Amino acid sequence: MADQPQGVTWRVTESGGFETAWPELSGTALRAHGRAVGTVPGPYWLSYELETGEDYVTRRLLVTADLASGGSRRLDLRRQDDGEWTADGRPLPEVRGALDCDLGLSPLTNAMPVLRHRLHTAPGEQEFLMAWVSVPDLAVRPSRQTYTHLGRTEVGGRVRFTSDDFSSNLEFDLDGLIVTYPGLAFRLAPRGTGLAEEQRRHWQRTYEADPEIYGPQPSDPAVHAALVFRKAGAHTVLELGAGHGRDALYLARAGFEVTAADFSSTALARLRDRAEAEGLAERVETMVEDVREPLPLPDGSVDAVFAHMLLCMALSTEEIRALVGEVARVLRPGGVFVYTVRHTGDAHYGTGTSQGDDIYEHGGFAVHFFDRKLVDSLAEGWDLREVHAFEEGTLPRRLWRVTQTRRPEPDMST
């Protein structure tokens, strides 16, 4: 944290809103003010001021909540030096002895207990009693919470947060501020980096927090693709958006030589470890790749390409068209491209936060929903073999599995 306050903004998925905080650190004391807007359980606007003493112990939290209904609430929460707390002057014996306040749905107030014990940079586990403030009603309740250091990352450290039966692996930066809080919030990238870069950071953090997010079993589309590729006589396969490798490893076990590409170095490191453990290292290569850029492969160098939900990530229609053009370039004539995408019949289409271009964001993940017109246009110049509708997951997600073949080059000898 710099001496001059700099704003930090999180997208708060749990509230369907955002929070911006301006924290200022002086020694081991923290001052901050912030603004938040939420839409769950109904629209509200929040402003707060936070002051701690030395060792990040709370002195005062002043919060104002304005509701869409026209109502307004205010809380003046204070901790005395003897450990007693008051809310608007009323004693709160139920949180006596607590050192920290915890403002509900706010990533900021996770900083104080972690900074006090350096849990984002050093081993340890600490249990705390918190004066927890629910939002937007601003009621104060006791909350028992445990923070456990899990390890260091490139930007700071991971800490497991536990309260009652809830647990989440949080990522902090070196200043002790939340980078990602799975299921609640994630920090937005600096202005000018764009949605795709924001999503890249989000996926990187997601894989660091949960390396086995999709489990070890291959997806059904990968099982189908292996059959299609084998029938087409393919030997080399490029997987785009390979993640931690459940499908790449399956394809390698099926006998293919696999190049696994993803923009998360964390996920690919996990993939390499698993390939080594399974004796598949000679069949699997990894490649850190942003698919918005040209693929670093020669023309006609692979027999087949597989992409499970990669094309429906935070890519514009223009970027998707460019990527499919790159797939055509690196495929040999007659090579097969199997991809899956969520389509406009999905329950999430048209809901969440709209990013334009049929892209909607839910829970921090942005999805580009395909209509049939887009699928057909991406098959221009190809032989479109199949557009198969299927469902996946518990929502369930509704997808298309598309199979298309690169047409052979025209015979110019006659």
Side-chain angles (χ1 to χ4, degrees):
M1 299 178 198
D3 291 336
Q4 297 298 319
Q6 295 182 357
V8 178
T9 299
W10 294 274
R11 185 182 297 278
V12 185
T13 54
E14 180 72 11
S15 72
F18 298 86
E19 176 181 346
T20 298
W22 290 267
E24 183 177 8
L25 183 67
S26 177
T28 60
L30 172 66
R31 287 178 177 268
H33 66 280
R35 304 287 185 271
V37 59
T39 59
V40 178
Y44 67 86
W45 297 264
L46 201 75
S47 62
Y48 62 83
E49 296 179 10
L50 171 68
E51 177 187 355
T52 82
E54 293 302 311
D55 214 16
Y56 310 104
V57 175
T58 297
R59 284 183 177 169
R60 185 185 188 194
L61 176 67
L62 182 63
V63 190
T64 300
D66 295 309
L67 308 180
S69 62
S72 181
R73 297 185 178 120
R74 184 178 183 274
L75 171 67
D76 188 352
L77 180 66
R78 300 187 184 219
R79 182 187 184 278
Q80 310 302 323
D81 290 340
D82 60 3
E84 298 290 340
W85 290 76
T86 60
D88 301 319
R90 176 178 58 85
L92 294 173
E94 62 270 28
V95 296
R96 181 186 297 115
L99 300 180
D100 304 292
C101 66
D102 182 8
L103 181 60
L105 302 177
S106 171
L108 175 70
T109 49
N110 295 99
M112 289 98 76
V114 168
L115 281 168
R116 183 180 308 119
H117 297 279
R118 308 300 298 174
L119 291 172
H120 59 314
T121 59
E125 178 176 292
Q126 296 289 332
E127 182 178 346
F128 304 95
L129 173 64
M130 301 288 186
W132 181 75
V133 180
S134 63
V135 171
D137 64 291
L138 306 187
V140 182
R141 303 182 181 94
S143 174
R144 293 282 180 183
Q145 301 176 3
T146 301
Y147 289 78
T148 306
H149 175 82
L150 297 179
R152 296 293 300 270
T153 68
E154 295 177 358
V155 299
R158 289 184 297 115
V159 177
R160 177 176 292 116
F161 169 86
T162 304
S163 181
D164 295 327
D165 59 352
F166 175 80
S167 180
S168 186
N169 294 340
L170 319 183
E171 182 182 357
F172 291 82
D173 65 16
L174 290 174
D175 292 324
L177 293 177
I178 287 283
V179 177
T180 186
Y181 188 142
L184 186 139
F186 64 95
R187 190 186 305 181
L188 296 183
R191 184 177 180 179
T193 57
L195 177 63
E197 178 62 18
E198 178 185 309
Q199 286 291 295
R200 185 194 70 80
R201 293 171 183 267
H202 185 54
W203 277 103
Q204 182 87 338
R205 295 189 294 261
T206 298
Y207 283 126
E208 288 176 349
D210 187 1
E212 298 291 342
I213 184 172
Y214 294 115
Q217 298 302 315
S219 67
D220 289 342
V223 175
H224 174 81
L227 297 175
V228 173
F229 295 162
R230 188 175 294 111
K231 186 176 180 179
H235 299 285
T236 58
V237 176
L238 168 65
E239 183 185 0
L240 300 173
H244 60 68
R246 59 172 182 156
D247 290 340
L249 293 171
Y250 172 78
L251 292 169
R253 293 187 209 107
F256 298 100
E257 302 290 330
V258 181
T259 299
D262 199 276
F263 62 12
S264 171
S265 57
T266 299
L268 293 179
R270 175 65 175 168
L271 193 164
R272 288 193 298 271
D273 288 344
R274 291 181 60 193
E276 184 71 30
E278 293 188 31
L280 297 170
E282 293 185 357
R283 286 190 172 274
V284 178
E285 292 186 6
T286 61
M287 178 173 68
V288 177
E289 170 65 10
D290 184 338
V291 295
R292 294 171 295 170
E293 302 294 332
L295 297 173
L297 296 170
D299 295 359
S301 58
V302 297
D303 299 327
V305 176
F306 176 67
H308 183 32
M309 293 209 294
L310 183 278
L311 271 66
C312 62
M313 294 292 103
L315 299 171
S316 68
T317 299
E318 181 181 349
E319 290 167 336
I320 293 167
R321 294 189 191 282
L323 173 58
V324 173
E326 278 294 286
V327 171
R329 181 185 65 79
V330 302
L331 268 176
R332 64 166 173 79
V336 185
F337 180 28
V338 175
Y339 71 89
T340 66
V341 290
R342 293 173 74 176
H343 59 70
T344 52
D346 188 277
H348 276 164
Y349 175 66
T351 66
T353 303
S354 174
Q355 301 290 347
D357 201 13
D358 275 341
I359 300 174
Y360 293 87
E361 188 175 337
H362 298 264
F365 297 95
V367 177
H368 189 142
F369 293 90
F370 277 47
D371 59 20
R372 182 55 193 261
K373 182 179 178 181
L374 179 55
V375 170
D376 290 341
S377 70
L378 294 176
E380 292 176 3
W382 298 71
D383 289 327
L384 181 59
R385 302 296 186 183
E386 180 189 44
V387 180
H388 172 72
F390 70 103
E391 296 182 347
E392 183 180 78
T394 56
L395 183 62
R397 295 184 293 268
R398 294 181 177 177
L399 301 96
W400 282 321
R401 186 188 69 220
V402 182
T403 303
Q404 57 193 52
T405 303
R406 183 187 169 192
R407 290 173 180 168
E409 298 293 341
D411 187 355
M412 306 298 293
S413 63
T414 58

